Amino acid sequence: MTYSASPYIEERNGGLYIAGTRVSLDSVLINFRHGASPEKIVQAFSTLKMSQVYGAIAYYLENEK
């Protein structure tokens, strides 16, 4: 995947993370791909806000190949 700038995602230590958190983009996407709703993802990662989850999913969908 080629990644573009996003206010919801930041690159750190060679990985992609939800901006301002320690939650990786992959962690959110694994849940999403297994059918978890954004609401369930927020429950699973209590440090995330709903807008961050939707932003992460949108970022993935815009950049997937």
Side-chain angles (χ1 to χ4, degrees):
M1 280 186 226
T2 303
Y3 295 99
S4 61
S6 169
Y8 297 102
I9 305 300
E10 60 188 21
E11 189 171 348
R12 283 194 319 264
N13 304 321
L16 296 171
Y17 295 85
I18 309 304
T21 75
R22 294 173 56 186
V23 179
S24 70
L25 176 60
D26 283 342
S27 296
V28 171
L29 295 179
I30 287 167
N31 282 277
F32 176 68
R33 289 185 198 127
H34 283 97
S37 67
E39 292 80 7
K40 291 285 186 188
I41 296 171
V42 167
Q43 289 175 359
F45 299 97
S46 61
T47 59
L48 296 182
K49 298 176 189 170
M50 189 69 67
S51 59
Q52 291 172 305
V53 172
Y54 276 106
I57 293 168
Y59 178 82
Y60 164 71
L61 293 173
E62 288 175 358
N63 291 287
E64 72 177 332
K65 289 191 176 197

